[in-house]
Amino acid sequence: MILVTGATGKLGRLVVEGLLKQIPAQQLAIAVRNPEKASDFAARGVQVRRADYSQPDTLQSAFAGVEKVLLISSNEVGQRLEQHRAAVAAAKKAGVRLLAYTSILHADTSGLALAAEHKGTEELIRASGIPFVFLRNGWYTENYTENLAPALAHGAIVGSSGEGRIAVATRADYAAAAVAVLTRPGHENKIYELGGDTPLTLTELATEVARQTGKAIVYKNLPPDQYKGVLTQAGVPGPFAGVLVDSDLGAARGELNDTSGELRRLIGRPTTPLADAVAAVLPR
Ligand SMILES: NC(=O)c1ccc[n+]([C@@H]2O[C@H](COP(=O)([O-])OP(=O)(O)OC[C@H]3O[C@@H](n4cnc5c(N)ncnc54)[C@H](OP(=O)(O)O)[C@@H]3O)[C@@H](O)[C@H]2O)c1
């Protein structure tokens, strides 16, 4: 039995869909905090178990009888280490034989503020003694393509990442990597640095959006305070805006770049080209 947490999230849904193409639904369970959101999966024969990362007891019952777990990192930044600690303890108690975890690119050396909870979680998993796989995911292409409306309205993509290259890949690409490590042998105690085949700068992103829309769109690099101001004005809560600015500054230092090709090798195909990801969100 394979169990996926965070399965009602955007990445989790793609992982479940990918697994359902490879294994019978009866061999798949998901642990979600709101089972109603997973009624479609239940109707297809997937076992839906309720578990909240902040309620350790629920994790322990959800993980019972499971052989492999994909722990999709929580999105509750700041609470994640304790939440993941509970998940790792539950996996240990359940005798899980493989714990895959969606981490962050170069988690052990990254200077990004976001990396700290991932690094801490990796350490907890190692200390547990459970055979693990760290899927160190780079940035999602969708971090940009899902947020193009202001760029189209103002003719500019803004950020503080300078000309730093960012090895973006789509959620579907990262989901395919998770499916690969869960369904094929030989991934125990491996660490995969995962990024897209063609790392991009935000200038290149702006050029591609301009090309496909026929509009004048440029990348405008802003000093960190100004970028934070843009984000907070757009409704991003202050602390999270700070985290996003910090990530951009990390990208400017090259910390979100990767040219290892490990994602391409794991999924056995090229990663999704930027042009396709942009086209997917523009009106036809
Ligand atoms: N690489 C990147 O660029 C990037 C970008 C954003 C996030 N991330 C990380 O990657 C993860 C997956 O990405 P995503 O796009 O799928 O994010 P997402 O759509 O926000 O999904 C997060 C999932 O975590 C679940 N969750 C949150 N708090 C929980 C709790 N207390 N107990 C149980 N489940 C909880 C959510 O449950 P509900 O469905 O009930 O809300 C959701 O299913 C994120 O959580 C975050 O750690 C990476």
Side-chain angles (χ1 to χ4, degrees):
M1 176 76 77
I2 296 175
L3 178 136
V4 179
T5 72
T8 46
K10 290 177 182 158
L11 179 68
R13 281 199 160 270
L14 293 169
V15 173
V16 172
E17 290 295 348
L19 286 170
L20 283 170
K21 292 198 178 95
Q22 309 257 345
I23 60 170
Q26 295 70 26
Q27 290 173 24
L28 184 55
I30 59 177
V32 297
R33 61 179 162 179
N34 181 357
E36 277 172 26
K37 268 181 85 176
S39 54
D40 54 332
F41 288 141
R44 291 161 71 187
V46 176
Q47 272 191 36
V48 179
R49 305 178 178 185
R50 199 188 84 78
D52 188 315
Y53 292 142
S54 294
Q55 296 171 14
D57 293 355
T58 63
L59 289 162
Q60 292 198 1
S61 40
F63 287 6
V66 164
E67 185 194 355
K68 299 178 185 176
V69 168
L70 173 65
L71 173 59
I72 292 189
S73 50
S74 166
N75 59 6
E76 298 181 317
V77 175
Q79 299 174 51
R80 296 193 287 187
L81 192 56
E82 289 317 304
Q83 292 180 329
H84 296 166
R85 188 190 304 280
V88 175
K92 182 80 184 170
K93 196 163 179 197
V96 165
R97 296 215 295 271
L98 186 74
L99 177 56
Y101 172 66
T102 61
S103 186
I104 193 171
L105 201 58
H106 308 137
D108 51 345
T109 56
S110 174
L112 265 65
L114 274 177
E117 289 173 309
H118 289 294
K119 181 170 185 265
T121 302
E122 287 191 1
E123 286 166 1
L124 288 172
I125 293 172
R126 280 178 184 279
S128 75
I130 304 169
F132 63 84
V133 192
F134 296 152
L135 296 158
R136 289 184 174 167
N137 291 346
W139 248 212
Y140 300 155
T141 314
E142 290 90 340
N143 293 347
Y144 303 105
T145 56
E146 283 175 353
N147 295 298
L148 286 180
L152 296 174
H154 301 294
I157 290 170
V158 297
S160 294
S161 63
E163 288 304 297
R165 289 203 172 273
I166 304 168
V168 295
T170 61
R171 285 193 187 89
D173 296 331
Y174 295 116
V179 170
V181 303
L182 290 167
T183 55
R184 292 187 221 139
H187 298 289
E188 288 79 8
N189 301 332
K190 296 259 173 71
I191 299 173
Y192 295 106
E193 304 288 353
L194 301 178
D197 294 343
T198 314
L200 57 83
T201 66
L202 293 196
T203 299
E204 291 167 354
L205 171 69
T207 302
E208 180 58 26
V209 177
R211 187 184 72 77
Q212 291 199 27
T213 58
K215 293 185 179 163
I217 295 172
V218 295
Y219 172 58
K220 213 169 153 192
N221 198 57
L222 299 178
D225 285 353
Q226 268 186 44
Y227 180 38
K228 189 172 178 190
V230 169
L231 291 169
T232 46
Q233 267 193 344
V236 178
F240 195 61
V243 166
L244 295 179
V245 173
D246 173 83
S247 297
D248 258 39
L249 295 173
R253 297 190 300 269
E255 297 195 21
L256 288 173
N257 196 9
D258 183 75
T259 53
S260 67
E262 288 185 0
L263 179 53
R264 180 192 185 110
R265 281 196 293 281
L266 255 188
I267 65 181
R269 60 165 172 80
T271 61
T272 307
L274 175 66
D276 293 4
V278 171
V281 296
L282 293 177
R284 281 161 208 272

